[in-house]
Amino acid sequence: YERYSKRFGHDFAIAVTDVPNFSYIRYHIGNYVRDTEGCPLNNWGFYWDEKKQIFVGSRSTACYLNFYEFLKKGFDQNLEIWVDIRR
């Protein structure tokens, strides 16, 4: 949170709660699997990197900032926000 607060001026961290057997789940920026330890990464899309033989996300920062602003507007209106994550 501190890093994003300083970089983007954020007022809150986007966290996922009430997941059995998991804690400290945060939405954050990242385009590669190495960028996460199980947290959801925001991306506008993805592509297959033929050379590395992996999927790579695209435009993560722009997507994350858009998601943050969407949530902020909801919080400013005192809306309850739910995210349904399915695997």
Side-chain angles (χ1 to χ4, degrees):
Y1 164 74
E2 294 296 327
R3 195 171 63 202
Y4 282 31
S5 176
K6 186 176 182 179
R7 182 175 174 187
F8 302 116
H10 286 177
D11 300 324
F12 58 88
I14 305 171
V16 179
T17 59
D18 300 324
V19 179
N21 304 314
F22 289 92
S23 58
Y24 302 107
I25 303 171
R26 304 277 188 266
Y27 276 87
H28 58 86
I29 296 166
N31 291 315
Y32 297 91
V33 171
R34 70 174 181 253
D35 296 329
T36 183
E37 293 180 3
C39 294
L41 300 176
N42 294 81
N43 292 118
W44 282 123
F46 64 92
Y47 64 93
W48 177 252
D49 184 322
E50 191 66 39
K51 184 177 177 182
K52 295 180 181 178
Q53 294 290 296
I54 60 171
F55 283 103
V56 179
S58 62
R59 300 186 58 217
S60 183
T61 300
C63 184
Y64 172 85
L65 292 173
N66 183 273
F67 186 51
Y68 179 90
E69 288 303 317
F70 173 80
L71 295 175
K72 185 170 178 9
K73 287 178 185 178
F75 294 151
D76 289 347
Q77 295 175 31
N78 292 318
L79 298 176
E80 187 171 312
I81 298 171
W82 292 76
V83 176
D84 183 20
I85 299 174
R86 299 176 189 210
R87 197 168 181 184

